[in-house]
Amino acid sequence: MPGRTYSIAAFLLALLILPVTCFALQKGDQFPELSGKTLDSRDFNFAQLKGRPFLLKIGTTWCPACKEQSTEISKISTILDNNNIRYVEVFVQETAATINSYLERDKNRPPDIVLRDPGDIARRLNVFAIPRLLLVNENFRVFSDSNPVDSETLADRINDMLTGK
């Protein structure tokens, strides 16, 4: 069994060393056709956002880094609003009741669209770590796909996306 223990340890170490972003979508990639359920169990298809840029955050209610990312997004609320950028938040493997309770207590800017994901959206986007943040332009092309970023970096990325850089 010692060989198996070393194999498992090596595998876990490799997971720590490999950058999570190796699973990210690349700049210019077409955003995939995805759909989910809203908090009131209505169907939502991301194709409804075509023609309009959006910021997508994927996370959970219990994740401290996800909460911090929401705080950073709140700092750029004016930029989102002034540029008609929709803020979509996907909660992975959470109940509607848990999400509603979280959003009621949360002091950050509420998302424009909230989706529950049993894991399908996360799986299709190769989400292996949360939070995950995607910025998608009006042509439904990925502009950036990353792990958490601060508000200044996010504001710069939005500006670059809007100016075509």
Side-chain angles (χ1 to χ4, degrees):
M1 278 299 191
R4 183 173 184 211
T5 302
Y6 290 125
S7 296
I8 292 171
F11 174 74
L12 292 174
L13 182 60
L15 286 178
L16 292 173
I17 295 171
L18 288 173
V20 173
T21 55
C22 69
F23 301 108
L25 296 171
Q26 300 300 308
K27 183 176 180 178
D29 284 353
Q30 181 74 39
F31 188 78
E33 292 293 329
L34 297 173
S35 59
K37 294 279 187 188
T38 62
L39 287 178
D40 58 359
S41 297
R42 293 185 189 170
D43 291 329
F44 176 83
N45 191 314
F46 278 88
Q48 293 171 238
L49 297 173
K50 284 183 180 177
R52 188 170 184 185
F54 64 95
L55 173 65
L56 172 62
K57 179 185 154 215
I58 302 166
T60 64
T61 61
W62 51 263
C63 165
C66 299
K67 174 95 168 141
E68 180 57 34
Q69 186 63 71
S70 293
T71 300
E72 293 301 310
I73 291 169
S74 286
K75 293 176 184 177
I76 63 157
S77 287
T78 304
I79 294 170
L80 296 174
D81 295 339
N82 289 346
N83 292 288
N84 204 23
I85 298 171
R86 300 298 299 265
Y87 170 30
V88 181
E89 187 157 0
V90 173
F91 289 89
V92 181
Q93 297 181 348
E94 300 270 6
T95 66
T98 302
I99 297 167
N100 277 320
S101 177
Y102 170 81
L103 292 173
E104 286 172 10
R105 291 187 321 268
D106 191 35
K107 303 294 184 221
N108 291 308
R109 178 197 200 276
D112 299 311
I113 300 165
V114 178
L115 300 175
R116 294 178 294 123
D117 179 27
D120 300 333
I121 294 171
R123 200 171 11 267
R124 293 270 323 273
L125 292 174
N126 295 319
V127 175
F128 294 99
I130 55 173
R132 177 94 165 268
L133 204 60
L134 288 95
L135 193 53
V136 179
N137 69 21
E138 70 279 355
N139 298 318
F140 219 53
R141 298 276 178 189
V142 174
F143 186 80
S144 74
D145 183 356
S146 66
N147 297 87
V149 296
D150 61 56
S151 58
E152 187 176 313
T153 301
L154 186 53
D156 288 344
R157 287 183 185 170
I158 289 171
N159 184 57
D160 288 349
M161 178 182 71
L162 295 172
T163 58
K165 290 186 179 179

